[in-house]
Amino acid sequence: MTRWTAEDIPDLTGKRALVTGANSGIGLVEARALAQKGADVVLAVRNTAAREQAAERIRRTGAPGSVTVETLDLASQASIRALAERFTGPLHLLLNNAGVMMPPRYRETEDGFELQFGTNHLGHFALTGLLLPRLLEAPTSRVTTVSSIAHQAGDGAVCEGNPRQGYDPQTAYGRSKLANLLFAQELQRRASAAGVPLTSTAAHPGVSATNLIASKDGLGAIPVVGSLMQLASKVIFPGPEKGAQGPLYAATVAPPGSYSGPTGIGESRGAVGEAKRSTWARDETLARTLWDRSEELTGVVFRF
């Protein structure tokens, strides 16, 4: 395919977008790119100071789209519900971007879910379901969920939610990213069956040098390891500008049910195109089982 960049995003004037984890890294680049194409962007971020700083950075670019902020902690079902209750009016684009990567020790969300499964998957599952009425208010809407090439490490135990016993950071992360991909695909199947004008896509950023590596919720919990890996990644891997291209492509022009990302060097970088899905990611029975389990755990039922 022709090499696609954020410059190819169509005009989004009059569209409203919400991006999770938009205070730094790939999320900030995504939010800025959408605002530069005219979208009114909501930055849904846990840290108050960080979200205000991010909003101001985007405004200073002179982007024609407005930028507002919302408090959102994806590790808290109460926070997710509070945002959904505050949110009014149509939503044209939901970009489920935020994530936690490989905390070295087992940790839980405030609701008792393993941190990666609870934040990366259940948090976005609940957010999407609770914002579904706002998405269906728009004439057409899109939901893009950011997965990872690490989903290849996920397996059929994804529905177990990464139990404490036998916790392994890499496997748990892979399962949470597999859950993201299964969710995005199942959402498209259900939207199509219901006949609603909602497009669900998935994407991955390849391997990108971002603050995710040094986050204290993940590998940054080991200070020396997190700092060294962040420095090394900036030398070896592309920055967030490149990493954001796959999610932006998926969020704006990719076809329903697609999975997009960099296509070069083991999908770590390069031109955006169709990404590879693991055998488990193509398992529709597993996707349905995960969906049912997610509804049970969060209490959120999608009503198309």
Side-chain angles (χ1 to χ4, degrees):
M1 63 176 293
T2 303
R3 186 176 288 270
W4 189 92
T5 72
E7 292 299 317
D8 299 311
I9 297 173
D11 179 45
L12 299 175
T13 301
K15 302 290 181 68
R16 193 178 184 203
L18 186 150
V19 183
T20 67
N23 59 296
S24 66
I26 290 169
L28 176 59
V29 173
E30 293 163 352
R32 185 184 65 211
L34 296 173
Q36 287 174 337
K37 288 295 184 174
D40 297 320
V41 183
V42 180
L43 312 184
V45 178
R46 177 180 56 184
N47 184 293
T48 303
R51 70 171 186 254
E52 295 292 349
Q53 291 169 7
E56 187 55 33
R57 288 176 65 182
I58 296 173
R59 294 184 188 115
R60 285 200 300 265
T61 69
S66 68
V67 183
T68 57
V69 297
E70 277 285 356
T71 299
L72 174 66
D73 182 355
L74 286 162
S76 165
Q77 291 288 311
S79 175
I80 295 165
R81 289 178 181 275
L83 184 151
E85 288 172 3
R86 293 192 304 271
F87 203 90
T88 58
L91 178 62
H92 301 81
L93 170 61
L94 173 60
L95 212 171
N96 291 324
N97 167 82
V100 178
M101 186 175 75
M102 290 187 281
R105 297 179 183 81
Y106 179 88
R107 294 178 57 192
E108 293 183 347
T109 68
E110 70 173 39
D111 303 288
F113 306 128
E114 187 274 321
L115 185 64
Q116 295 175 98
F117 185 76
T119 301
N120 299 352
H121 170 59
L122 291 179
H124 284 124
F125 178 91
L127 179 67
T128 305
L130 291 168
L131 288 178
L132 187 60
R134 308 286 78 79
L135 289 160
L136 297 182
E137 272 189 52
T140 60
S141 57
R142 298 178 71 95
V143 176
T144 293
T145 303
V146 178
S147 181
S148 168
I149 54 177
H151 89 271
Q152 300 278 351
D155 55 25
V158 61
C159 298
E160 296 176 6
N162 296 335
R164 180 187 297 270
Q165 186 174 5
Y167 173 76
D168 175 76
Q170 186 172 356
T171 301
Y173 181 65
R175 287 173 180 161
S176 76
K177 294 285 103 180
L178 172 61
N180 286 150
L181 185 47
L182 290 168
F183 163 61
Q185 295 171 147
E186 184 64 14
L187 176 59
Q188 182 59 61
R189 285 189 286 268
R190 293 184 182 231
S192 297
V196 298
L198 182 148
T199 291
S200 174
T201 63
H204 74 80
V207 181
S208 184
T210 71
N211 292 335
L212 183 62
I213 293 172
S215 169
K216 289 182 171 54
D217 287 329
L219 285 173
I222 309 175
V224 175
V225 173
S227 298
L228 287 175
M229 287 191 67
Q230 187 174 35
L231 287 172
S233 70
K234 289 180 178 179
V235 174
I236 299 170
F237 301 119
E241 299 283 345
K242 295 292 186 183
Q245 289 189 3
L248 284 169
Y249 175 78
T252 57
V253 298
S258 59
Y259 177 44
S260 308
T263 55
I265 314 180
E267 297 191 321
S268 66
R269 65 189 70 199
V272 173
E274 182 178 357
K276 297 176 182 177
R277 311 173 203 229
S278 70
T279 300
W280 288 113
R282 298 192 299 271
D283 190 326
E284 294 186 16
T285 299
L286 182 61
R288 290 193 295 271
T289 301
L290 175 65
W291 186 285
D292 292 342
R293 181 62 175 151
S294 301
E295 286 190 338
E296 177 185 341
L297 290 171
T298 64
V300 175
V301 177
F302 284 59
R303 303 194 185 281
F304 295 98

